[in-house]
Amino acid sequence: MKWVSRFSFHRRLQFTFLILILLPFIVVTFWSYTSVRENVSDKIARSNEETLKVIGSQIEKTVDSISFVSVYFSEAYDPAVLESLRYLKNTGNFGNYGVYTHYNKLKTTANILSVQSLDADLQIMLVNRENRILIGNQEIPVFSELPERLLQESGRLNEQEKISLQWFPYGGTPAAPDYYYAVRFITDPLNQNKLATLYVGIPSHYFRNLLDTGNPESRLSLADQKGRSIAVTGEADNDNEGSLLISEVRIPKVGWLLTSKTPRDSIDSHINREFLVSISVVGLFFLAFLILSMLWAGYMNKPISLLRTSVKQYVGGNRAVRIPVRGKDEVAVLSAAFNQMLDDMNQLLQQVESEQEEKRLLELQALAAQIRPHFLLNTLNSIKVDLLLSGDEPHGAMIDALMKLLRVYVHVDKPLELAEECRVLGSYVQVMQIRNRLDIAFECVLDGEAGAVMLPRLLLQPIVENAISHGFSARPQNPAIRLEAEMEQDLLKISISDNGRGMPEDKLQRLNRRLQGSEDTALWPEKGVGLVNTARRLEVLYGYRARLSAQAGTEEGMTFTLYIPITSEKEAVPLDDPDADR
């Protein structure tokens, strides 16, 4: 049996199946298959023909409904309908009450007539001479223009034909159009002038559902009188007509042709009765195969048992256990992969132990880093107290404002309410006006619930910094910054205005392009970096709806506007550390 080990287990099973089961089964079943094939084919052909007749009858009912709707409008049995068609033949909108009244008359009539075609989900459109849709489905606006492609397709029809329906496919592909339209031109019985055009479209899903017999092996198709495809279902398709079982039924009222094509190969699945003799013969070989498989099971179980024992030893703590690899079959490949997995697991365990040690050292460093900001804040607090006690209130106030900014920088990763952000900006302005020797007036106006919205910290600080650094570089007499915030539906609008020197129109447009990301920032790397970073930060945090734009002030200066999407949920987030200055 050593020569057998050169083959995989899969190949061994294949050879056994071929010798003991497959070949005898083919010999026994061949003659029975050929004897019943033609009988089953005839039965399936008759069944397919009956199915096509039922489908054709249903299509005829739908065509009758379409004919009834078209005749009712074209023959103008209702004088009120005729009057409305005359009134609306050149109308393009609801210009007066008369248009509305006549539109309601047509709509009421169309609703009554459309009840007959609910099952087919027809698309009924009544179009006046100006190609404006008077009556259509709910998603089609009244007096909207007829689609250009539909207008082109219907333009090939004969407008002199006023008795019979004219058909044409629309949309999709030539093999499966989206709609198959019936068109009738409605004329005035008095002077034969055109009043409107009636479009009745049968959707493709109606034909697909109708032609779907539940047999994916059969291909059902429907074609019109000109041979154009209306609908196709199923996947069976073969250029060789001899390998197909074909049944055809023509719908007399419209001349459409229903065709069913079933591959003869699929008929083999229906031939089961003639195989009783074959099964009895195969049973004898199966018994022999069963006995042989039991012998093979013991032989194949040995390497599997070895693999199972090795797994138990590794789980028990023996990391040095490995499986000996012999041969080239599947078990040998599995054993080699198992040994490699054990090596990888040992390496991974060592890596995890090393990472845990590094993590412990990083945690110690992080704890040490947290002590430094607290020490600095406590020291500044002591200096502030000494300054206030000595009567130096300006410098004490500056130290206090600086402490507030440091607290924000310490917890920069935590969100902050807009109202609190305004107070932080006030502290920042206070520090900057002392630093730049400017008396800056800062005003914050929050409308309604805008102050309670949570925002990332220091989101607005670059805009205020830009106003001070650039807008007030000419040192105006009364510098002022005003922040306004209000809710606009689900958007928070924040406007920050200053009365600085402003910006020329060309530079303003270039700045807006940079804020929108439509201009390469490498062209002007030294200008507007803070503003561009703020715009990118908005986009990353809140998505495409968030934006930052710049406008010239009403009289002077600049106005920067932020639009931020806001969800309905608001979460209270702890802000500064209460022990920061103790």
Side-chain angles (χ1 to χ4, degrees):
M1 299 290 291
K2 292 184 179 180
W3 64 273
V4 180
S5 61
R6 292 182 297 177
F7 301 97
S8 65
F9 291 111
H10 178 65
R11 294 298 181 187
R12 298 171 197 172
L13 293 175
Q14 283 183 328
F15 289 149
T16 304
F17 180 82
L18 180 62
I19 295 173
L20 298 179
I21 295 181
L22 186 59
L23 290 179
F25 180 78
I26 293 175
V27 173
V28 173
T29 58
F30 176 77
W31 67 269
S32 60
Y33 173 79
T34 56
S35 65
V36 301
R37 185 174 184 272
E38 292 300 325
N39 295 332
V40 175
S41 298
D42 292 339
K43 293 180 180 180
I44 294 178
R46 289 194 296 269
S47 176
N48 290 343
E49 186 173 350
E50 292 297 325
T51 301
L52 294 179
K53 289 181 179 179
V54 173
I55 295 174
S57 176
Q58 185 63 36
I59 293 177
E60 281 188 341
K61 293 180 181 179
T62 302
V63 173
D64 288 340
S65 299
I66 296 175
S67 299
F68 173 78
V69 173
S70 64
V71 169
Y72 190 91
F73 276 105
S74 61
E75 299 297 335
Y77 290 106
D78 189 348
V81 173
L82 179 59
E83 180 185 358
S84 299
L85 290 175
R86 290 170 177 168
Y87 191 88
L88 300 175
K89 62 182 180 181
N90 295 319
T91 305
N93 53 57
F94 285 107
N96 53 62
Y97 182 76
V99 173
Y100 178 78
T101 302
H102 288 288
Y103 162 75
N104 278 335
K105 291 181 181 179
L106 292 179
K107 183 179 180 182
T108 302
T109 304
N111 290 338
I112 296 174
L113 295 176
S114 62
V115 172
Q116 299 185 6
S117 58
L118 288 178
D119 294 339
D121 192 20
L122 301 180
Q123 185 182 64
I124 302 176
M125 292 186 298
L126 187 62
V127 182
N128 64 8
R129 296 197 307 188
E130 298 298 325
N131 294 323
R132 299 283 183 166
I133 300 176
L134 303 178
I135 300 298
N137 292 3
Q138 294 182 355
E139 65 271 15
I140 301 177
V142 181
F143 294 118
S144 60
E145 292 187 0
L146 192 68
E148 183 65 24
R149 183 178 176 184
L150 185 57
L151 185 61
Q152 292 177 357
E153 293 290 342
S154 61
R156 301 188 181 99
L157 304 179
N158 182 12
E159 293 192 9
Q160 303 303 322
E161 177 60 54
K162 303 179 178 61
I163 299 177
S164 301
L165 288 172
Q166 301 184 62
W167 301 84
F168 67 91
Y170 174 75
T173 62
D178 293 334
Y179 283 89
Y180 197 74
Y181 275 98
V183 178
R184 173 162 287 184
F185 300 99
I186 303 173
T187 59
D188 194 327
L190 297 180
N191 52 22
Q192 299 301 316
N193 289 335
K194 179 182 176 182
L195 297 179
T197 305
L198 179 65
Y199 293 84
V200 182
I202 306 178
S204 59
H205 63 80
Y206 165 75
F207 291 113
R208 287 197 302 268
N209 295 336
L210 200 59
L211 298 180
D212 185 10
T213 61
N215 184 9
E217 297 175 346
S218 297
R219 179 186 179 91
L220 272 71
S221 61
L222 178 63
D224 60 10
Q225 289 178 317
K226 298 181 179 179
R228 297 175 298 188
S229 175
I230 299 177
V232 178
T233 59
E235 300 178 356
D237 195 6
N238 197 325
D239 294 333
N240 185 7
E241 297 291 336
S243 63
L244 298 175
L245 186 63
I246 302 176
S247 301
E248 294 181 346
V249 170
R250 187 169 294 276
I251 304 174
K253 289 188 177 181
V254 287
W256 297 350
L257 181 64
L258 272 169
T259 305
S260 173
K261 296 181 180 180
T262 304
R264 292 185 179 271
D265 296 337
S266 65
I267 302 175
D268 299 343
S269 61
H270 302 283
I271 308 175
N272 298 319
R273 293 177 300 176
E274 302 294 330
F275 293 164
L276 295 177
V277 177
S278 302
I279 293 175
S280 61
V281 176
V282 172
L284 297 177
F285 290 95
F286 180 78
L287 180 61
F289 175 75
L290 181 62
I291 297 174
L292 184 61
S293 64
M294 294 177 64
L295 298 177
W296 274 107
Y299 176 77
M300 297 179 181
N301 190 53
K302 291 182 180 179
I304 298 177
S305 298
L306 179 61
L307 177 62
R308 180 179 58 187
T309 303
S310 301
V311 171
K312 289 184 177 180
Q313 292 181 5
Y314 187 85
V315 174
N318 184 10
R319 296 187 179 180
V321 64
R322 296 294 183 272
I323 301 176
V325 180
R326 300 185 183 91
K328 297 182 180 180
D329 53 22
E330 284 83 347
V331 174
V333 175
L334 179 61
S335 300
F338 181 78
N339 293 337
Q340 182 63 39
M341 182 185 69
L342 296 182
D343 294 337
D344 295 341
M345 290 178 63
N346 289 338
Q347 183 178 0
L348 181 61
L349 289 174
Q350 295 176 359
Q351 182 179 355
V352 170
E353 293 174 356
S354 176
E355 290 177 354
Q356 290 294 330
E357 181 65 21
E358 294 179 0
K359 181 180 179 181
R360 187 181 66 82
L361 295 176
L362 291 175
E363 289 178 350
L364 293 176
Q365 295 176 1
L367 292 174
Q370 290 180 357
I371 299 175
R372 299 189 186 102
H374 293 284
F375 171 75
L376 179 60
L377 289 171
N378 292 333
T379 302
L380 290 174
N381 188 54
S382 300
I383 297 173
K384 180 189 73 173
V385 172
D386 292 341
L387 290 173
L388 293 176
L389 292 176
S390 64
D392 191 353
E393 294 184 0
H395 290 88
M398 182 177 181
I399 294 295
D400 184 62
L402 183 59
M403 289 175 60
K404 292 179 180 178
L405 291 177
L406 287 176
R407 290 192 189 98
V408 175
Y409 291 136
V410 169
H411 303 281
V412 70
D413 58 331
K414 297 180 180 179
L416 195 68
E417 289 186 353
L418 179 57
E420 185 65 24
E421 178 77 3
C422 289
R423 287 190 282 273
V424 173
L425 289 176
S427 300
Y428 174 76
V429 171
Q430 185 178 358
V431 171
M432 293 300 292
Q433 67 182 359
I434 296 176
R435 175 183 173 185
N436 294 278
R437 301 182 183 279
L438 288 172
D439 187 11
I440 303 173
F442 178 73
E443 182 181 6
C444 186
V445 179
L446 304 180
D447 184 19
E449 300 180 355
V453 175
M454 304 298 293
L455 295 176
R457 298 194 179 204
L458 303 177
L459 179 66
L460 308 178
Q461 185 264 340
I463 302 176
V464 176
E465 179 183 0
N466 181 78
I468 297 174
S469 301
H470 300 285
F472 300 154
S473 59
R475 307 186 70 81
Q477 293 183 354
N478 299 307
I481 299 176
R482 180 182 175 86
L483 187 149
E484 299 180 6
E486 61 180 352
M487 299 296 298
E488 293 186 355
Q489 296 181 356
D490 61 341
L491 290 177
L492 174 64
K493 177 183 178 182
I494 303 176
S495 299
I496 302 177
S497 306
D498 64 77
N499 60 349
R501 64 177 183 176
M503 183 180 294
E505 182 64 25
D506 57 339
K507 293 184 178 180
L508 180 61
Q509 294 179 359
R510 184 165 59 244
L511 175 60
N512 277 314
R513 288 195 298 270
R514 295 187 66 197
L515 295 178
Q516 296 171 6
S518 58
E519 183 172 311
D520 189 2
T521 56
L523 298 176
W524 309 91
E526 75 285 355
K527 296 182 179 181
V529 176
L531 297 176
V532 174
N533 290 340
T534 300
R536 298 292 82 78
R537 188 181 182 191
L538 278 175
E539 183 178 356
V540 170
L541 292 175
Y542 298 100
Y544 70 95
R545 295 183 61 197
R547 63 185 185 276
L548 170 63
S549 60
Q551 304 89 25
T554 55
E555 296 181 358
E556 56 185 350
M558 295 286 294
T559 298
F560 291 89
T561 305
L562 298 90
Y563 292 93
I564 303 175
I566 301 299
T567 60
S568 58
E569 299 179 359
K570 294 182 180 179
E571 180 182 3
V573 179
L575 301 177
D576 294 341
D577 188 350
D579 299 326
D581 54 355
R582 293 184 180 178

